[in-house]
Amino acid sequence: LETFSTLTTLDLTRNSIGDDGAQALAEALKTNSTLTTLGLGYNSIGHDGAQALAEALKSNSTLTILNLRSNSIKDSEAQALAEALKTNSTLTTLILIDNLINDSGAQALADALKTNSTLTTLELGENLIKDSGAQTLAEALKTNSTLTTLELEFNPIGDDGAKALAEALKTNLTLTTLNLAGNSIKDTEAQALAEALKTNWTLTTLNLISNSIKDSGAQALADALKTNSTLTTLELGENSIGHDGAQALSEALKTNSTLSTLNLMTNSIGDSGAQVLAEALKTNSTLITLDLLGNSIEDSGAQVLAEALKTNSTLATLNLTSNSIRDDGAQALAEALKTNSTLTILNLDGNSIGHDGAQGLAEALKTNSTLTTLELGYNSIGHDGVQALAEALKSNSTLTILNLRSNSIGHDGAQALAEGLKTNSTLSTLDLHGNSIQDSGTQLLAEALKVNST
């Protein structure tokens, strides 16, 4: 690297590099003038290696991305890197996910952010940062004017830290992505963040997955969405949101004109929650992705969502994985696909759909011209269901991905699919993992591959 004059990216991820290797690379960075990206994730770089890299950053003038994910970086090493950030004028992305950084390391990095004017992305997820570390980062956000992405997922940040970050959002003018997934955020902290969203006009992505937010927290966030005009992605999966939270979010969707992605996976909204969200979809014109994985939605919930799809003209992805949808729900969704012209991805993995539901979906595929991905893994579509889908493949010209994992498909099903593949001209991925196709079925599929060109 000291003499090489063309290399711009060097990825040394997962190479058992320790301090000696990092020190050698650091020495090279002092004179190298071309390298812009250095990947050192998942190695064993500790005190001496990180300190050497930090020292190199003080004089290096080309590196823009440094990835130190999953090493052995603790507070003293974070402090050294922070010191370097005070004078470095080129680094834009620093990745320190999954290390051993505590509050004092976070405090040092926060102090650097007050003067640094080039860093746009700081990733500190999966460390040991608590409230006091989050508070100092929040204080830095009040004056920093370049950071656009702050990742703090899976740290033990609680009430005081989350509230401080919320307060910072009221005045910060540059942050677009804030990731607080997997912390200790409850309703009161969600309410504080919601209050900030009412005046903040730069944040586009807020990730609150895997916290302890219940209905009142969701209601506060929903209220903010009625006036907020910048947020495009709200991640609320793996919380404890039920019908009331879903209802509040649904009301917000009726007037909000910017949110494009709403993730509610693994909550408890049930059929009643699905019903109110479906009502919102009839008038909402901006939501593109709705994730309802693992929400105890049954046929009646699927039926009302299907009804909404008949008039909705923006939703492109609907995830209904791991619910309790049976044939009636699948048939209703199939009926909607006959007229819907925007949905491109429908995920029905892990439900209880049998051959009747699969036949309904197959019938829809014969006329639908927008769906590109259909996920039916881990259902019970069996012989008749797969035969119907195979028949649909002969005329469908848009589907590119079909997932039929673990559906008790045997020789006859493989034979039908093989026939469909001989004439189909668009399918690029067919997932048959965990079925009972055996050698005879495989031979038939192999024969089809000889003529299939997609």
Side-chain angles (χ1 to χ4, degrees):
L1 285 179
E2 291 178 13
T3 56
F4 205 68
S5 60
T6 56
L7 199 70
T8 58
T9 300
L10 179 58
D11 189 350
L12 292 169
T13 302
R14 297 186 191 275
N15 266 289
S16 303
I17 296 168
D19 286 337
D20 290 346
Q23 285 171 318
L25 288 164
E27 201 59 38
L29 286 176
K30 291 179 181 177
T31 54
N32 177 277
S33 61
T34 55
L35 200 71
T36 59
T37 301
L38 179 57
L40 291 170
Y42 300 95
N43 282 293
S44 304
I45 299 168
H47 178 78
D48 293 344
Q51 292 255 359
L53 288 164
E55 196 60 35
L57 286 178
K58 293 178 182 178
S59 55
N60 177 278
S61 60
T62 54
L63 202 69
T64 58
I65 300 172
L66 177 57
N67 186 347
L68 292 170
R69 178 176 187 147
S70 300
N71 279 279
S72 301
I73 294 169
K74 297 185 283 292
D75 283 342
S76 59
E77 295 82 71
Q79 288 162 346
L81 289 163
E83 202 57 38
L85 287 177
K86 291 178 181 178
T87 54
N88 177 280
S89 61
T90 53
L91 201 72
T92 60
T93 300
L94 178 57
I95 301 171
L96 293 169
I97 295 170
D98 190 24
N99 279 287
L100 301 167
I101 299 169
N102 279 276
D103 285 339
S104 58
Q107 287 163 348
L109 289 163
D111 191 45
L113 287 178
K114 292 177 182 177
T115 54
N116 177 280
S117 61
T118 53
L119 202 70
T120 59
T121 299
L122 178 58
E123 300 191 15
L124 292 171
E126 299 175 46
N127 277 284
L128 304 167
I129 299 166
K130 295 181 280 296
D131 282 341
S132 61
Q135 285 170 316
T136 53
L137 286 165
E139 202 58 36
L141 287 177
K142 291 178 182 178
T143 54
N144 177 280
S145 61
T146 53
L147 200 72
T148 59
T149 299
L150 179 57
E151 305 267 356
L152 289 168
E153 72 275 14
F154 296 98
N155 279 288
I157 297 169
D159 183 71
D160 292 341
K163 284 181 178 176
L165 288 164
E167 197 60 33
L169 286 178
K170 292 179 181 178
T171 54
N172 177 278
L173 299 174
T174 53
L175 203 69
T176 59
T177 299
L178 178 58
N179 188 347
L180 293 172
N183 279 279
S184 302
I185 295 168
K186 298 181 286 295
D187 283 342
T188 53
E189 296 83 78
Q191 287 162 347
L193 289 163
E195 202 58 36
L197 287 178
K198 290 179 182 178
T199 54
N200 176 282
W201 52 277
T202 53
L203 201 72
T204 59
T205 299
L206 178 59
N207 188 340
L208 294 172
I209 287 175
S210 195
N211 279 288
S212 302
I213 300 168
K214 297 182 180 178
D215 283 338
S216 60
Q219 286 167 332
L221 289 163
D223 191 47
L225 287 178
K226 291 178 182 177
T227 53
N228 178 280
S229 61
T230 53
L231 203 70
T232 58
T233 300
L234 179 58
E235 306 269 2
L236 291 172
E238 298 176 28
N239 279 285
S240 302
I241 299 166
H243 167 84
D244 290 346
Q247 186 168 35
L249 289 164
S250 301
E251 281 306 308
L253 288 176
K254 290 177 183 177
T255 55
N256 177 280
S257 60
T258 52
L259 200 72
S260 59
T261 298
L262 178 59
N263 181 353
L264 289 170
M265 70 173 191
T266 322
N267 279 287
S268 306
I269 71 166
D271 282 339
S272 62
Q275 186 162 15
V276 292
L277 286 166
E279 201 58 38
L281 287 178
K282 291 178 182 178
T283 55
N284 177 279
S285 60
T286 54
L287 203 68
I288 296 170
T289 300
L290 179 59
D291 192 340
L292 297 175
L293 176 152
N295 266 288
S296 304
I297 296 168
E298 299 181 4
D299 282 341
S300 61
Q303 286 165 335
V304 290
L305 287 165
E307 200 60 34
L309 288 177
K310 290 178 181 178
T311 53
N312 177 280
S313 60
T314 53
L315 199 71
T317 299
L318 178 59
N319 188 357
L320 292 170
T321 300
S322 299
N323 281 289
S324 302
I325 299 167
R326 298 178 181 273
D327 285 337
D328 288 348
Q331 285 172 329
L333 289 163
E335 200 60 35
L337 288 178
K338 291 178 182 177
T339 54
N340 177 280
S341 60
T342 54
L343 202 70
T344 58
I345 298 172
L346 177 59
N347 194 332
L348 292 168
D349 281 350
N351 280 282
S352 302
I353 298 168
H355 59 81
D356 288 344
Q359 285 172 324
L361 289 163
E363 201 59 37
L365 288 177
K366 291 178 181 177
T367 54
N368 177 281
S369 60
T370 52
L371 201 72
T372 60
T373 300
L374 179 58
E375 305 270 0
L376 286 171
Y378 306 99
N379 280 287
S380 306
I381 70 171
H383 171 72
D384 292 342
V386 76
Q387 283 217 324
L389 288 165
E391 193 63 33
L393 288 179
K394 293 178 182 178
S395 55
N396 177 278
S397 60
T398 53
L399 203 69
T400 58
I401 297 172
L402 179 58
N403 179 359
L404 298 175
R405 279 183 171 225
S406 299
N407 266 289
S408 305
I409 298 168
H411 169 90
D412 290 346
Q415 185 173 32
L417 287 166
E419 284 305 309
L421 289 175
K422 287 178 183 177
T423 54
N424 178 278
S425 60
T426 53
L427 200 71
S428 59
T429 300
L430 177 59
D431 192 341
L432 294 171
H433 178 101
N435 283 288
S436 305
I437 291 170
Q438 300 182 338
D439 286 345
S440 58
T442 304
Q443 286 166 346
L444 293 166
L445 289 166
E447 204 60 38
L449 288 178
K450 293 177 182 177
V451 293
N452 177 278
S453 59
T454 58

